[in-house]
Short mmCIF file of all heavy atoms in Angstrom, two decimals:
data_model
loop_
_atom_site.label_atom_id
_atom_site.label_comp_id
_atom_site.label_asym_id
_atom_site.label_seq_id
_atom_site.Cartn_x
_atom_site.Cartn_y
_atom_site.Cartn_z
N LEU A 316 7.13 -62.73 -103.06
CA LEU A 316 7.59 -62.34 -101.71
C LEU A 316 8.81 -63.12 -101.30
O LEU A 316 9.72 -62.56 -100.68
CB LEU A 316 6.48 -62.57 -100.67
CG LEU A 316 5.36 -61.54 -100.58
CD1 LEU A 316 4.28 -62.06 -99.63
CD2 LEU A 316 5.85 -60.19 -100.14
N ALA A 317 8.85 -64.40 -101.68
CA ALA A 317 10.01 -65.22 -101.32
C ALA A 317 11.27 -64.64 -101.95
O ALA A 317 12.34 -64.63 -101.32
CB ALA A 317 9.80 -66.66 -101.82
N ARG A 318 11.16 -64.12 -103.17
CA ARG A 318 12.32 -63.51 -103.83
C ARG A 318 12.75 -62.24 -103.10
O ARG A 318 13.93 -61.97 -102.92
CB ARG A 318 12.01 -63.21 -105.29
CG ARG A 318 11.82 -64.46 -106.12
CD ARG A 318 11.47 -64.11 -107.57
NE ARG A 318 12.49 -63.31 -108.21
CZ ARG A 318 12.27 -62.50 -109.24
NH1 ARG A 318 11.10 -62.40 -109.76
NH2 ARG A 318 13.30 -61.80 -109.76
N LEU A 319 11.74 -61.45 -102.67
CA LEU A 319 12.05 -60.24 -101.92
C LEU A 319 12.70 -60.53 -100.57
O LEU A 319 13.67 -59.92 -100.19
CB LEU A 319 10.77 -59.40 -101.70
CG LEU A 319 10.15 -58.78 -102.93
CD1 LEU A 319 8.78 -58.17 -102.59
CD2 LEU A 319 11.08 -57.69 -103.49
N ASP A 320 12.15 -61.56 -99.88
CA ASP A 320 12.72 -61.91 -98.58
C ASP A 320 14.13 -62.46 -98.73
O ASP A 320 14.99 -62.25 -97.85
CB ASP A 320 11.80 -62.91 -97.86
CG ASP A 320 10.50 -62.27 -97.36
OD1 ASP A 320 10.45 -61.03 -97.32
OD2 ASP A 320 9.58 -63.03 -97.00
N ALA A 321 14.34 -63.20 -99.82
CA ALA A 321 15.69 -63.75 -100.06
C ALA A 321 16.70 -62.60 -100.23
O ALA A 321 17.80 -62.63 -99.70
CB ALA A 321 15.70 -64.64 -101.29
N LEU A 322 16.25 -61.54 -100.91
CA LEU A 322 17.12 -60.36 -101.06
C LEU A 322 17.36 -59.72 -99.68
O LEU A 322 18.47 -59.29 -99.36
CB LEU A 322 16.48 -59.33 -101.99
CG LEU A 322 17.36 -58.11 -102.32
CD1 LEU A 322 18.34 -58.46 -103.45
CD2 LEU A 322 16.52 -56.89 -102.66
N ALA A 323 16.30 -59.64 -98.90
CA ALA A 323 16.40 -59.06 -97.55
C ALA A 323 17.39 -59.84 -96.71
O ALA A 323 18.18 -59.26 -95.96
CB ALA A 323 15.04 -58.99 -96.87
N ARG A 324 17.38 -61.17 -96.84
CA ARG A 324 18.35 -61.98 -96.10
C ARG A 324 19.78 -61.78 -96.60
O ARG A 324 20.71 -61.65 -95.83
CB ARG A 324 17.99 -63.45 -96.21
CG ARG A 324 16.77 -63.90 -95.45
CD ARG A 324 16.65 -65.39 -95.37
NE ARG A 324 16.40 -66.01 -96.64
CZ ARG A 324 15.19 -66.18 -97.16
NH1 ARG A 324 14.11 -65.78 -96.51
NH2 ARG A 324 15.05 -66.77 -98.33
N ARG A 325 19.89 -61.70 -97.93
CA ARG A 325 21.24 -61.57 -98.50
C ARG A 325 21.91 -60.31 -98.05
O ARG A 325 23.10 -60.29 -97.79
CB ARG A 325 21.08 -61.60 -100.02
CG ARG A 325 22.43 -61.67 -100.73
CD ARG A 325 22.28 -61.89 -102.25
NE ARG A 325 23.57 -62.26 -102.82
CZ ARG A 325 23.76 -62.55 -104.10
NH1 ARG A 325 22.74 -62.60 -104.93
NH2 ARG A 325 24.97 -62.89 -104.52
N PHE A 326 21.10 -59.22 -97.96
CA PHE A 326 21.72 -57.92 -97.60
C PHE A 326 21.37 -57.47 -96.21
O PHE A 326 21.65 -56.33 -95.82
CB PHE A 326 21.29 -56.84 -98.63
CG PHE A 326 21.84 -57.14 -99.99
CD1 PHE A 326 21.04 -57.71 -100.96
CD2 PHE A 326 23.17 -56.86 -100.28
CE1 PHE A 326 21.56 -58.01 -102.24
CE2 PHE A 326 23.70 -57.16 -101.55
CZ PHE A 326 22.88 -57.75 -102.52
N HIS A 410 11.15 -59.44 -95.11
CA HIS A 410 11.57 -60.17 -93.90
C HIS A 410 12.97 -60.76 -94.11
O HIS A 410 13.13 -61.63 -94.96
CB HIS A 410 10.60 -61.31 -93.61
CG HIS A 410 9.24 -60.79 -93.16
ND1 HIS A 410 8.17 -61.63 -93.01
CD2 HIS A 410 8.82 -59.54 -92.86
CE1 HIS A 410 7.13 -60.91 -92.63
NE2 HIS A 410 7.48 -59.65 -92.51
N ALA A 421 23.69 -66.62 -95.68
CA ALA A 421 22.62 -65.88 -96.41
C ALA A 421 22.70 -66.21 -97.90
O ALA A 421 21.64 -66.37 -98.56
CB ALA A 421 22.79 -64.37 -96.19
N THR A 425 19.79 -67.94 -100.32
CA THR A 425 19.32 -67.38 -101.57
C THR A 425 19.45 -68.39 -102.71
O THR A 425 18.52 -68.58 -103.52
CB THR A 425 20.16 -66.12 -101.95
OG1 THR A 425 20.08 -65.24 -100.82
CG2 THR A 425 19.58 -65.43 -103.16
N ASP A 428 16.82 -71.04 -102.50
CA ASP A 428 15.49 -70.57 -102.94
C ASP A 428 15.41 -70.53 -104.47
O ASP A 428 14.38 -70.87 -105.05
CB ASP A 428 15.21 -69.17 -102.36
CG ASP A 428 14.83 -69.21 -100.87
OD1 ASP A 428 14.43 -70.34 -100.41
OD2 ASP A 428 14.93 -68.20 -100.18
N THR A 458 7.34 -68.38 -97.90
CA THR A 458 8.15 -67.31 -98.48
C THR A 458 9.63 -67.72 -98.61
O THR A 458 10.48 -66.86 -98.77
CB THR A 458 8.03 -66.05 -97.61
OG1 THR A 458 8.33 -66.38 -96.26
CG2 THR A 458 6.67 -65.43 -97.71
#
Side-chain angles (χ1 to χ4, degrees):
L316 281 173
R318 293 179 59 203
L319 291 171
D320 287 347
L322 185 85
R324 287 194 293 274
R325 187 171 194 178
F326 295 100
H410 293 171
T425 306
D428 285 340
T458 52

